[in-house]
Amino acid sequence: MNKLLIVDDNQDIRKQLKWGLGRDYELELAENADHALELFGRSKPGVVTLDLGLPPHEDSSEEGFRCLTEILKLAPTAKVIVITGNDGQENALKAIQLGAYDFYRKPIDLEELRIIIKRAFHLASLEEENRRLFNASLPGLDETLGIIGQCPKMQEVFSSIRKVAASDVSILITGESGTGKELAARAIHAKSPRRTGAFVAINCGAIPENLLEAELFGHEKGAFTGAHARNQGKVEYAHQGTLFLDEIGELPLSLQVKLLRFLQEKTIQRVGGRQDIQVDARILAATNIDIHKAMATGAFREDLFYRIGVVTIDLPPLRDRDEDVLILANLFLRRSCREQNRKTGGFSRNAIASLRGYEWPGNVRELENKVQRAVIMTNTPLIEPQDLGFESTPTTNGGWSPPQAATLREGRELVERQMVQAALAEQAGNIAQAAKALGIARPTMYDLMKKYDIQA
């Protein structure tokens, strides 16, 4: 049962809350700040309701603010709901700035307060799950392979990598762009007997055709204009190691013939040379095209396919790896926070829904980019969908609506923050013009920027 600490000097209110909430939560009751801090330090409740007017200064908020500050020092993620009188708006806002989760004005309506407390525990639970994924040893992480995935399809990939790594056969890795084909190739090399040799990668689709042959096989001095010295190619650099041919489906037919000769005879000739050079290199190749369709149209040689694809490993797209999305997102979050020297409480409920509901056409690479963006762009304790670049979420009728919030207040604040950010962006950071565009006074604009921690 969740632990709830109630801090109030009014015995009648403590009794009311004990009667109304005792069945739902494990309660701790305190009548002053020192007693509250003692109980909090001992039981570490996830949520606290705190009356700011505590003895010996019941007529001011001094003791309540001290209690709030000390609680948040002990547990920065604790959810403290500040309870104030009808005239306590200024103190309530100050409490929020100090780190309180929410505020509630007296007189207490038990049903309303019950909803706020329930939401606070839900958020605390979500943040705890984010921290667990963020800090713990991630499930689905194979430390020996350096690849992440706990879905059945990725477990099949891991199994295939372990089986083929010990052999010396050529491997073809297929999959959409961004699925991690080079990472899989590096894992095979790292687990193979050639691990002490070089891993040499070349993207066959990124180099112009007239330069690709020299990049692969090297060239002799004077072989062509600008060839002022002899150069070794990627194949030679991979001697006693592994040569990874990325996007091999883009390899011109003329070079497919020469690559086939190397695979058959283990010899090459540099451009402009006549000497056969023996090279001992294992070939790993990857493509994101339908290689069988390319063979059917004559764009890829069938005999070369059988040489490079003794074993084929197919990497699944991220949209087919539902349970891996959050694992990967939290890994990238941890890595990005470390690199950017930033801190965050993790992903909000709406952000998690957006991550799970997105189709990920760019696969793992796109997910990593979105998380990196979010770490840089977020202005809130939890990463929201808009931080990830999700401006809205689909509705059942095919239209679009703003991301859903759990409560009316959260929805209002979400829209408010988005409008302030949009106005500042449209006015190039001019606060006066942004306030005018929103139809509010400049002091109000400053208050909103401070409230949501928005920089001009």
Side-chain angles (χ1 to χ4, degrees):
M1 187 178 289
N2 289 323
K3 294 181 180 178
L4 171 66
L5 172 60
I6 296 171
V7 187
D8 200 302
D9 66 325
N10 188 311
Q11 185 177 8
D12 291 336
I13 291 179
R14 292 201 304 273
K15 284 183 178 179
Q16 177 192 7
L17 296 181
K18 181 178 180 180
W19 173 83
L21 302 171
R23 286 190 233 173
D24 301 321
Y25 304 106
E26 182 181 335
L27 298 182
E28 298 271 14
L29 305 175
E31 68 278 1
N32 59 56
D34 289 336
H35 188 204
L37 292 171
E38 177 190 344
L39 292 175
F40 187 88
R42 188 171 66 218
S43 60
K44 292 292 190 301
V47 176
V48 179
T49 67
L50 173 63
D51 182 11
L52 289 179
L54 296 176
H57 307 290
E58 294 93 331
D59 296 331
S60 74
S61 300
E62 176 185 340
E63 196 70 359
F65 283 136
R66 180 178 76 84
C67 186
L68 171 64
T69 302
E70 291 299 320
I71 285 175
L72 293 178
K73 280 183 182 177
L74 292 170
T77 60
K79 301 292 172 280
V80 182
I81 302 166
V82 168
I83 297 179
T84 69
N86 287 329
D87 57 350
Q89 175 78 5
E90 184 178 341
N91 285 332
L93 292 176
K94 181 180 177 182
I96 296 295
Q97 291 169 2
L98 289 174
Y101 163 71
D102 206 342
F103 67 88
Y104 185 80
R105 291 194 189 94
K106 295 179 181 177
I108 291 175
D109 182 310
L110 194 57
E111 289 309 311
E112 287 184 5
L113 185 59
R114 194 194 306 275
I115 292 171
I116 295 174
I117 292 171
K118 184 177 180 180
R119 283 290 304 127
F121 273 113
H122 176 76
L123 180 60
S125 174
L126 184 62
E127 289 179 351
E128 179 58 33
E129 178 66 11
N130 271 288
R131 283 191 295 275
R132 186 187 67 77
L133 286 171
F134 187 80
N135 295 315
S137 176
L138 290 169
L141 172 61
D142 190 316
E143 298 287 355
T144 62
L145 296 180
I147 313 176
I148 293 174
Q150 66 177 11
C151 71
K153 290 184 178 181
M154 285 306 295
Q155 292 303 314
E156 290 177 13
V157 169
F158 295 157
S159 177
S160 297
I161 288 174
R162 294 187 186 97
K163 289 176 182 177
V164 302
S167 71
D168 216 29
V169 298
S170 299
I171 309 295
L172 178 63
I173 305 169
T174 60
E176 295 178 9
S177 179
T179 51
K181 296 184 290 293
E182 182 171 344
L183 193 60
R186 288 184 180 276
I188 293 171
H189 171 74
K191 298 282 286 184
S192 76
R194 295 175 177 268
R195 67 180 69 90
T196 57
F199 178 88
V200 180
I202 182 170
N203 189 318
C204 300
I207 301 172
E209 183 176 347
N210 61 328
L211 300 178
L212 185 54
E213 183 177 2
E215 278 291 313
L216 274 171
F217 302 112
H219 62 78
E220 298 289 348
K221 181 179 179 180
F224 48 82
T225 303
H228 301 301
R230 170 189 287 176
N231 268 357
Q232 288 186 334
K234 298 289 189 182
V235 176
E236 281 186 81
Y237 281 119
H239 181 61
Q240 295 186 331
T242 301
L243 176 67
F244 175 55
L245 301 171
D246 198 7
E247 304 306 342
I248 195 170
E250 305 293 329
L251 195 66
L253 283 168
S254 59
L255 290 183
Q256 290 181 31
V257 175
K258 295 186 177 183
L259 179 61
L260 180 61
R261 177 176 179 267
F262 164 66
L263 290 170
Q264 291 171 333
E265 302 176 11
K266 297 298 181 183
T267 62
I268 63 166
Q269 286 185 358
R270 299 191 187 106
V271 176
R274 296 191 176 183
Q275 178 187 357
D276 284 340
I277 301 169
Q278 289 284 332
V279 178
D280 173 25
R282 182 185 191 177
I283 301 298
L284 304 178
T287 184
N288 63 4
I289 69 168
D290 185 336
I291 202 75
H292 294 283
K293 185 176 180 180
M295 287 190 291
T297 61
F300 198 85
R301 293 179 63 98
E302 191 171 334
D303 48 2
L304 178 58
F305 168 75
Y306 290 120
R307 283 285 181 176
I308 63 169
V310 176
V311 175
T312 299
I313 297 175
D314 185 49
L315 297 185
L318 188 55
R319 61 181 172 274
D320 293 342
R321 299 172 54 188
D322 182 62
E323 58 260 59
D324 290 344
V325 171
L326 282 186
I327 294 173
L328 288 163
N330 277 281
L331 171 74
F332 297 144
L333 181 63
R334 182 168 65 185
R335 184 183 300 165
S336 295
C337 284
R338 184 172 62 246
E339 292 172 353
Q340 302 293 335
N341 195 26
R342 299 285 300 271
K343 291 183 179 180
T344 176
F347 299 101
S348 73
R349 185 179 65 173
N350 286 328
I352 290 173
S354 296
L355 289 167
R356 284 177 166 163
Y358 187 56
E359 285 294 306
W360 299 110
N363 292 294
V364 179
R365 187 182 297 125
E366 183 183 10
L367 173 59
E368 183 174 14
N369 289 342
K370 282 189 177 294
V371 173
Q372 287 176 340
R373 176 192 190 277
V375 169
I376 295 169
M377 299 299 292
T378 187
N379 288 316
T380 54
L382 293 178
I383 288 174
E384 297 292 345
Q386 58 269 29
D387 300 322
L388 292 158
F390 299 119
E391 295 301 330
S392 53
T393 54
T395 64
T396 54
N397 62 7
W400 293 90
S401 65
Q404 292 182 349
T407 67
L408 179 61
R409 179 181 174 184
E410 289 177 352
R412 191 164 52 236
E413 289 180 345
L414 179 62
V415 173
E416 198 172 56
R417 180 160 71 91
Q418 289 177 338
M419 290 183 70
V420 170
Q421 289 174 323
L424 285 168
E426 290 170 3
Q427 302 300 328
N430 187 310
I431 296 174
Q433 291 298 322
K436 184 177 179 181
L438 290 171
I440 59 177
R442 188 160 56 177
T444 304
M445 185 70 171
Y446 279 114
D447 288 342
L448 289 171
M449 290 173 64
K450 185 176 181 180
K451 177 181 178 181
Y452 297 118
D453 192 23
I454 297 172
Q455 304 298 319

